Amino acid sequence: MMTKMPSNPKITTSKRRRGRRPSPPLFAAAATFSALLLLLTPAVASEASGGETVQSQRQNQHQRQQQCERLPTSLTYSQDSAPADVSAILRVVVEKINRDVTGVVDVEVAWSGAELHRRVGERIVRCTVTRLAGSVDDGSDGDAEGNEGGDDNDEGNVVPPAESGIDSHGREVVTQCFEVPFTITDVNECAVPESNTMAHRCHPPSVCVNTLGSYECLCPSESDGSVGKVYAVRAPNFVAQSNFWERLGGEARNAWELSLGSSGESSCPSLASTYGCCDEDGRSDEGKECRASFRCPVDPCAQSKTSAGNHSKGKPKTAACAPNALCRRSESPLSHPNYACECPPGLMGNGRPCPRGGRRRMPKVKYDGKSPTEETRRALEAGSICGCVEATVDACDGFPKCPGKHEMCAVDSSNTPHCTCKPGYVHDRDYGCVDESPPVLHLRPDPVHGTDPRTGVTHLSQGDRYEEYGVDIVDDNAEDYFRSLKMTYSRPLPQGCLLEMGEFHVNYTVATPWTSPNFVSAKRTVVIDNVNECAVRESTGVGAGCPELLAMCDGEAGASCRDEIGTYTCRCPEGTEGDGFLPIPRLRADGRGGFAGSMVPDGYRGGTGCRDVSKPVIELLGPNPKRFRVARTSAVRGAIGEGGNGESKSRVEAVLAEQRSAYESDIRSMIE
């Protein structure tokens, strides 16, 4: 059964080829995670006549999933540092896509919790990525039409065709498939300290044997040719391979070299090891419990040598057994005392007479009609069930484990066992026993800026970087049933710091097809507050992490900076003209007389600076006009005489003119 997620408006589809990505981004615009092997996608309708139907588009999409570009680097973790749950995996996978792919507005990921996290080896996480068309470089048109399979990229992978369209926000987008390698390396659980969470849980005297991705517990053997002694199982770099277990399977072992023979005493009863018995994953709940419950016999002879003075020597006295009990000596050194009163087949008890007047306990057996229940086993070990009596059957104790999660054994009126859902769970035809209550989503808070748990608001400032912390999914069924987690951003995020004021929203939606409504959601609101760009300094504070916020005013020409809400402006001084800005390289002309890019300052016209356009002003110093007094030249006249002839007058005028010129030269030199 497949439940549709809320879909986008119809998208016009076409083929285009994906170009090389220019540089790794820090953030994606949207993320969608799907747990269905057939990825959940929005319904698509063709706008062209004769276009593809929704069904055929889904079939084409399934075919395109087989053609995915693999990212060149792998997410690699050791077992003890690998993500421990699906929520952690989702974060690192989407972070990987955000780093390696540009223009992302939607991501769709297929995963299964049991198959991905904690498992050693390399796995491939397949993602369907929707990107802004502007972030994808087209190949030549001839190749795009003639080779829909795509061309080879630099890593030798075949680049799949991309499907383009228009999303609900009116943006041209393309959809492509990527494969994210996810690798987990082995940790030797047998060699790490006990304080390490990966340390083994083998109970002494069993020996820990390291395997690829896990470990097993092995009962020791006294034989020099045993597999445990031939192979250096205690070496830090030892990893048991198939030949190790094949040789172990061919060994002839006695009772001392096998685990205890009762399922109540040990997991994997009467086996030399937990290999092939316990869950191969030693970190799963079942695997840990199985290995921790594995018990190998303890040599009683070895103990008797250290505590011989505490035991009576010689043979015990004759045992006192009940009338219907059999008295037998034990052949196994594990038994203490070395004799036992045994009840005949079909009867249970300690074989000893019951005390007079005491309350008699009745034994119970499991579903098989033979094995005692845990309570009866403890009572038999304690010897508190006296005599030999016939046991009653507890039909659910020992009944085969119910296969589904949240199932339990119950009996009907005829004491016949069957599997049913535990209280609080209901049976779903497709998913088995599921919790009636839907999952609960908790926003993971921003550890630096904080997130209001009531409103979901995170406050950032211009120059900060948005980190995606996702949500915690509280759901008992999360590891066993497929999920679909969709993360949608109200606007694409920048690849660097946040430059523009305002707010955007991140919507998280989990599909739960067995509940009503069939989804749960949570919303994070990110508010970006104003920063005074005029106060930002290079290499300190906000300027060190976000140099784009430095005010680019032409300070050398006298331009002043003025902070505005969400931006700033530069003003030239009086007598100059220009926009007051230095050129800003990240902004480009939009072809309409303006500029495009993130945070275009008010009044920016290309960075023309401030140019002096005022006329020169000449200012006279001192009084104007400036007067000088000089002596009259009458003495010259007297000296020359005032004859009546014209020649004498000419000589006088020449001398006066010469004198005046000398005065004028002296005055000029005084002024200068």
Side-chain angles (χ1 to χ4, degrees):
M1 185 175 97
M2 180 174 177
T3 302
K4 294 182 180 178
M5 293 292 293
S7 61
N8 293 329
K10 65 180 181 180
I11 300 175
T12 302
T13 61
S14 64
K15 298 290 185 180
R16 56 186 296 149
R17 296 169 58 197
R18 197 188 72 80
R20 298 290 299 150
R21 47 186 179 275
S23 61
L26 294 177
F27 304 96
T32 301
F33 303 94
S34 174
L36 299 176
L37 293 179
L38 178 60
L39 300 180
L40 296 175
T41 57
V44 179
S46 174
E47 290 184 347
S49 61
E52 294 177 310
T53 64
V54 173
Q55 181 64 28
S56 63
Q57 289 175 2
R58 290 178 176 172
Q59 293 174 352
N60 291 339
Q61 178 184 349
H62 181 68
Q63 294 173 355
R64 289 194 303 273
Q65 292 172 3
Q66 310 307 316
Q67 301 179 5
C68 297
E69 179 182 359
R70 183 172 298 185
L71 297 186
T73 58
S74 174
L75 292 168
T76 303
Y77 302 89
S78 61
Q79 276 183 285
D80 52 351
S81 64
D85 54 44
V86 171
S87 299
I89 290 176
L90 298 183
R91 180 189 172 196
V92 299
V93 170
V94 74
E95 185 178 358
K96 176 70 172 174
I97 290 293
N98 289 345
R99 288 198 307 266
D100 291 2
V101 182
T102 59
V104 178
V105 296
D106 198 277
V107 179
E108 196 167 353
V109 181
W111 94 90
S112 172
E115 295 176 354
L116 190 58
H117 70 288
R118 299 203 303 256
R119 297 289 187 177
V120 170
E122 182 181 73
R123 283 162 178 78
I124 299 301
V125 182
R126 180 165 291 170
C127 306
T128 300
V129 179
T130 302
R131 308 170 59 193
L132 293 176
S135 64
V136 180
D137 296 331
D138 289 330
S140 64
D141 293 340
D143 289 344
E145 294 297 330
N147 183 13
E148 291 187 354
D151 55 359
D152 293 345
N153 61 15
D154 293 344
E155 291 75 31
N157 293 330
V158 175
V159 179
E163 178 182 339
S164 65
I166 305 300
D167 68 2
S168 60
H169 298 285
R171 303 170 297 191
E172 183 180 3
V173 296
V174 294
T175 301
Q176 299 166 304
C177 179
F178 292 90
E179 290 180 343
V180 180
F182 192 93
T183 304
I184 298 179
T185 58
D186 181 60
V187 169
N188 188 345
E189 296 87 344
C190 306
V192 298
E194 293 184 2
S195 58
N196 193 304
T197 57
M198 294 287 295
H200 71 87
R201 301 186 64 182
C202 295
H203 192 279
S206 64
V207 178
C208 176
V209 179
N210 184 42
T211 63
L212 186 63
S214 186
Y215 70 96
E216 303 293 347
C217 302
L218 171 68
C219 287
S221 173
E222 298 177 352
S223 173
D224 292 337
S226 67
V227 65
K229 292 187 177 180
V230 173
Y231 290 84
V233 296
R234 299 181 188 273
N237 59 347
F238 177 79
V239 178
Q241 305 295 339
S242 58
N243 58 346
F244 178 93
W245 303 112
E246 290 172 1
R247 181 164 181 170
L248 176 64
E251 283 187 356
R253 290 188 165 224
N254 58 41
W256 298 98
E257 298 166 337
L258 301 175
S259 63
L260 301 180
S262 169
S263 60
E265 296 174 320
S266 172
S267 60
C268 310
S270 300
L271 295 179
S273 71
T274 56
Y275 178 76
C277 171
C278 294
D279 184 0
E280 65 178 9
D281 184 2
R283 297 181 65 191
S284 68
D285 292 340
E286 181 180 351
K288 288 190 293 187
E289 179 62 25
C290 182
R291 287 164 176 77
S293 302
F294 183 72
R295 295 291 185 271
C296 298
V298 178
D299 187 357
C301 298
Q303 290 187 345
S304 65
K305 293 178 181 178
T306 59
S307 56
N310 296 330
H311 297 277
S312 299
K313 297 182 180 180
K315 296 181 180 180
K317 297 180 180 180
T318 303
C321 298
N324 59 347
L326 301 174
C327 181
R328 298 183 184 277
R329 294 181 62 88
S330 175
E331 296 181 358
S332 172
L334 293 176
S335 301
H336 183 77
N338 60 355
Y339 69 93
C341 296
E342 299 179 356
C343 291
L347 301 180
M348 289 186 175
N350 58 16
R352 298 184 178 89
C354 294
R356 294 180 180 179
R359 182 179 178 182
R360 190 170 187 175
R361 299 183 62 176
M362 300 304 296
K364 293 182 179 181
V365 292
K366 298 182 179 180
Y367 168 75
D368 60 7
K370 299 177 181 179
S371 304
T373 63
E374 185 66 20
E375 180 182 1
T376 298
R377 184 189 63 80
R378 291 195 297 265
L380 290 173
E381 291 179 349
S384 57
I385 300 179
C386 61
C388 294
V389 294
E390 185 175 359
T392 59
V393 178
D394 185 344
C396 281
D397 199 332
F399 183 72
K401 183 180 179 181
C402 294
K405 188 177 181 181
H406 305 306
E407 287 186 341
M408 59 175 289
C409 175
V411 296
D412 56 20
S413 58
S414 61
N415 202 34
T416 301
H418 63 278
C419 290
T420 187
C421 292
K422 293 179 180 179
Y425 295 86
V426 295
H427 187 270
D428 183 90
R429 182 182 61 184
D430 296 321
Y431 301 98
C433 294
V434 294
D435 192 347
E436 290 182 285
S437 59
V440 178
L441 305 184
H442 295 297
L443 293 176
R444 286 187 173 180
D446 187 319
V448 177
H449 305 92
T451 300
D452 191 323
R454 295 181 299 102
T455 62
V457 174
T458 299
H459 279 275
L460 303 178
S461 298
Q462 289 177 284
D464 289 336
R465 296 174 183 267
Y466 176 73
E467 297 284 348
E468 180 56 69
Y469 294 98
V471 293
D472 286 320
I473 305 173
V474 181
D475 186 358
D476 288 339
N477 301 312
E479 299 301 324
D480 292 76
Y481 302 106
F482 287 133
R483 293 290 186 277
S484 171
L485 171 62
K486 183 175 183 179
M487 300 170 60
T488 304
Y489 298 86
S490 61
R491 72 182 189 190
L493 298 181
Q495 298 180 7
C497 53
L498 300 171
L499 300 180
E500 299 180 358
M501 270 188 60
E503 68 179 40
F504 62 90
H505 308 284
V506 185
N507 292 311
Y508 308 87
T509 304
V510 172
T512 55
W514 58 86
T515 63
S516 179
N518 60 359
F519 68 92
V520 292
S521 62
K523 177 181 177 182
R524 186 193 302 273
T525 300
V526 181
V527 178
I528 306 171
D529 298 323
N530 180 58
V531 164
N532 185 352
E533 293 85 355
C534 300
V536 175
R537 296 294 178 265
E538 186 176 5
S539 301
T540 60
V542 176
C546 190
E548 295 91 339
L549 285 178
L550 291 173
M552 300 293 288
C553 295
D554 189 1
E556 293 185 0
S560 61
C561 178
R562 178 177 179 180
D563 183 48
E564 303 287 347
I565 300 301
T567 183
Y568 68 98
T569 186
C570 299
R571 295 187 176 183
C572 290
E574 185 177 356
T576 63
E577 67 178 12
D579 62 3
F581 290 87
L582 297 173
I584 303 177
R586 61 183 172 81
L587 301 181
R588 62 185 184 278
D590 59 6
R592 300 188 300 270
F595 290 85
S598 54
M599 200 189 77
V600 180
D602 289 347
Y604 180 77
R605 298 193 301 274
T608 60
C610 297
R611 183 172 58 86
D612 189 0
V613 295
S614 60
K615 296 180 179 180
V617 177
I618 300 176
E619 181 179 356
L620 296 177
L621 300 178
N624 185 26
K626 188 171 183 179
R627 300 178 180 274
F628 293 88
R629 295 182 179 273
V630 297
R632 293 176 60 89
T633 57
S634 57
V636 176
R637 294 176 180 269
I640 296 178
E642 296 183 359
N645 57 29
E647 182 180 357
S648 298
K649 291 182 180 181
S650 297
R651 290 177 59 195
V652 171
E653 293 298 329
V655 172
L656 290 177
E658 181 179 357
Q659 187 65 39
R660 290 190 189 97
S661 176
Y663 280 143
E664 183 178 354
S665 297
D666 291 341
I667 292 172
R668 287 182 180 277
S669 61
M670 291 174 61
I671 294 175
E672 293 176 354

